Amino acid sequence: MQLKQALIKNTGWNFIGLFFTFTNNIFIVRVLGAASSGSFFYSIAFLILLVILLRLGIENGLTYFGAKSQSSTGFLLSLLIPLSVLQWLCCYFVLVKFKLAIQSFSPVWASTFVTANIFLYYITAFFHARKQFSAINIISTISTLIQCLALGYCYFNQGAALKGLGINDTYTQLFKILTITTVLQVIVTLIVFVVQNKDVFVGYSFNKKLVSDLVKYSGFNYLNAILVFLGTRMDFYFVEKYCTLGELGNYIQAAKIGQLGMVLPGLIGGVVFPFAINSGNGFSEKVASLCRLVTSLFIFVFIGILFLGYFLFPLLLGNEFTLVYKIVLITIIGITCMGLSIILMSYFEGKNLQKIILYSNATALGLIWLGDYLLVEQFGYLAAASVFTIGNFAGLVIFLYFFTKQSGLRIRTMFVVRRSDLLTLFSYLKV
């Protein structure tokens, strides 16, 4: 599969899924309100941290070695079932010890939510290794649609669906919907992969060297995943500590809007990674052109938010979310930097240059932590938003330095949009 085809297949369905994801978020905040939704999503953030910690960074290693040698897929896949059982048990133990961190979520349900999300990362990695993007994206989109319908029922029929429930019980019902749909997505995804790749379990055997290489590769990825997560969630801790629950709810919704901005770079990065594994020097120019396209799209998004966001965000989220507009305007540059960093990060992962990724992520996280520690208590949530942007800008600068040094391209090549780039974009849209 060519790069252009892969990009189209990895983005088309996902943009539909993006709409459903955003709608899901609106349903939840409409049901819970600003203060309660802040607590709900803060608890979800804690569970996502467990996902990052327990998945061990293996997913990119599965893609890397699965692409290097597709005959190893069966052996790698056979390791995941016992690993998932251990991850569920570890998660359950942690959640029992830190029960207050996840509101009223049952440890059994929360452990299932975490383990299902981890396994989804793993099985998706095998699809990416074989450049089979269509099936995984269609399944993901349908799963998000089902989730959207269930949450929509809760919102439009609150009198029936949530009648007589306290806030903790409402948390539980909404969380069960998220968990069940994720589990179903995992089951269907695994079945489809095995059916599409019937050679998976043919003639594989235990490979000690492959396990060793996987552990070495995944170690760096694991550390980088933790740094990225903390870089995108560190400000939650300081805003929750020093600001009101309403401000926390607004801040988290602004962050979730920013996460939607990461979807396209993430999809592009998901394609760049497997293609970079066996690529030549000429692939750097293609990566640069993708960065230019993403930059131009973010400029259009910024203009749209500048003129429409003040009215649009309260209209969609509710009248309590009047602070989202200011926060998004401050963080949009940081979100742009993070989006470009995701693409470059995927390139360096494909080249097995993970130390560069470590330098960038550690710098970004260090600046965010230091800025939040020094400024949020005095200047509030706006300081956290500003520090987020500064940290991600610094991280991007490091990526650009090493990328241009290795490729021989100039920094302006990454940002100045060419006529050929626009023609390429239009050709993508026509397909």
Side-chain angles (χ1 to χ4, degrees):
M1 182 182 294
Q2 298 299 314
L3 180 64
K4 176 181 176 180
Q5 293 175 310
L7 287 169
I8 293 171
K9 290 180 180 293
N10 205 37
T11 54
W13 279 95
N14 271 280
F15 274 110
I16 301 174
L18 177 63
F19 170 78
F20 294 139
T21 299
F22 187 69
T23 305
N24 291 344
N25 182 71
I26 291 175
F27 286 148
I28 292 174
V29 298
R30 287 283 188 170
V31 170
L32 297 178
S36 296
S37 67
S39 300
F40 181 84
F41 286 114
Y42 189 76
S43 298
I44 294 292
F46 177 82
L47 295 180
I48 297 301
L49 174 59
L50 290 181
V51 171
I52 300 295
L53 293 174
L54 291 174
R55 80 183 195 223
L56 305 175
I58 293 175
E59 66 283 353
N60 279 12
L62 296 175
T63 299
Y64 184 83
F65 292 105
K68 283 283 188 180
S69 176
Q70 293 194 357
S71 62
S72 64
T73 301
F75 169 65
L76 293 172
L77 186 58
S78 68
L79 297 176
L80 299 184
I81 302 300
L83 178 61
S84 295
V85 173
L86 289 175
Q87 287 167 331
W88 191 95
L89 293 173
C90 289
C91 184
Y92 181 83
F93 173 78
V94 171
L95 293 179
V96 169
K97 295 289 289 186
F98 299 96
K99 190 174 182 180
L100 294 177
I102 56 169
Q103 295 294 331
S104 60
F105 300 162
S106 160
V108 173
W109 279 95
S111 299
T112 304
F113 173 85
V114 168
T115 308
N117 275 279
I118 292 172
F119 200 91
L120 195 57
Y121 274 100
Y122 292 164
I123 194 63
T124 299
F126 289 121
F127 278 95
H128 286 179
R130 298 196 171 202
K131 300 183 176 69
Q132 297 172 340
F133 297 103
S134 296
I136 187 68
N137 291 321
I138 292 173
I139 295 170
S140 176
T141 302
I142 294 175
S143 174
T144 311
L145 171 60
I146 294 172
Q147 193 177 95
C148 184
L149 293 174
L151 292 172
Y153 175 81
C154 290
Y155 171 65
F156 289 111
N157 299 276
Q158 289 184 47
L162 303 173
K163 185 177 180 180
L165 296 181
I167 187 63
N168 288 340
D169 292 324
T170 302
Y171 282 154
T172 299
Q173 295 304 314
L174 295 176
F175 183 68
K176 283 183 178 180
I177 292 172
L178 300 182
T179 303
I180 292 171
T181 51
T182 305
V183 171
L184 291 175
Q185 183 180 350
V186 168
I187 294 171
V188 173
T189 302
L190 180 59
I191 292 172
V192 170
F193 179 77
V194 174
V195 169
Q196 284 191 346
N197 303 277
K198 296 180 179 179
D199 64 314
V200 164
F201 295 107
V202 177
Y204 77 90
S205 59
F206 185 82
N207 189 330
K208 183 178 179 180
K209 184 179 184 303
L210 179 58
V211 173
S212 176
D213 291 341
L214 178 64
V215 171
K216 291 178 182 177
Y217 185 93
S218 300
F220 272 109
N221 185 60
Y222 180 53
L223 182 56
N224 281 315
I226 294 173
L227 293 177
V228 169
F229 176 84
L230 292 176
T232 57
R233 301 297 196 282
M234 178 69 69
D235 43 2
F236 287 11
Y237 168 78
F238 287 96
V239 173
E240 191 271 341
K241 184 176 182 179
Y242 295 117
C243 302
T244 67
L245 283 177
E247 289 171 340
L248 174 65
N250 274 264
Y251 194 88
I252 290 179
Q253 289 311 306
K256 291 183 75 65
I257 291 171
Q259 290 167 17
L260 294 178
M262 295 298 100
V263 171
L264 179 60
L267 295 173
I268 292 174
V271 175
V272 168
F273 175 39
F275 275 86
I277 292 172
N278 298 308
S279 67
N281 294 331
F283 189 69
S284 300
E285 172 56 38
K286 294 182 179 179
V287 174
S289 68
L290 291 172
C291 289
R292 294 195 298 270
L293 286 175
V294 169
T295 301
S296 63
L297 288 173
F298 270 113
I299 290 173
F300 287 120
V301 169
F302 174 77
I303 294 172
I305 291 175
L306 181 64
F307 289 102
L308 300 176
Y310 183 80
F311 308 99
L312 184 61
F313 294 141
L315 178 65
L316 292 175
L317 301 172
N319 295 329
E320 297 174 281
F321 293 91
T322 56
L323 306 179
V324 171
Y325 174 68
K326 291 187 292 185
I327 299 170
V328 171
L329 280 184
I330 294 173
T331 56
I332 188 67
I333 296 177
I335 292 167
T336 304
C337 292
M338 195 171 186
L340 297 174
S341 293
I342 288 174
I343 297 173
L344 295 176
M345 186 188 310
S346 301
Y347 171 80
F348 286 122
E349 282 178 336
K351 295 296 184 181
N352 201 9
L353 297 171
Q354 299 198 72
K355 287 185 179 180
I356 296 174
I357 303 173
L358 183 62
Y359 297 151
S360 174
N361 291 336
T363 299
L365 176 60
L367 287 175
I368 291 172
W369 176 84
L370 181 62
D372 285 343
Y373 179 78
L374 295 175
L375 300 174
V376 173
E377 183 176 9
Q378 182 176 358
F379 298 104
Y381 63 93
L382 293 180
S386 302
V387 167
F388 171 84
T389 292
I390 293 170
N392 281 286
F393 176 78
L396 176 61
V397 168
I398 293 176
F399 275 130
L400 289 174
Y401 170 77
F402 285 104
F403 181 78
T404 53
K405 183 179 180 180
Q406 184 187 71
S407 65
L409 299 173
R410 297 181 178 181
I411 290 183
R412 67 187 303 273
T413 308
M414 311 291 293
F415 301 103
V416 179
V417 181
R418 304 171 183 175
R419 182 173 178 272
S420 60
D421 297 327
L422 297 177
L423 293 176
T424 300
L425 176 61
F426 292 144
S427 70
Y428 287 177
L429 297 175
K430 288 179 182 179
V431 177

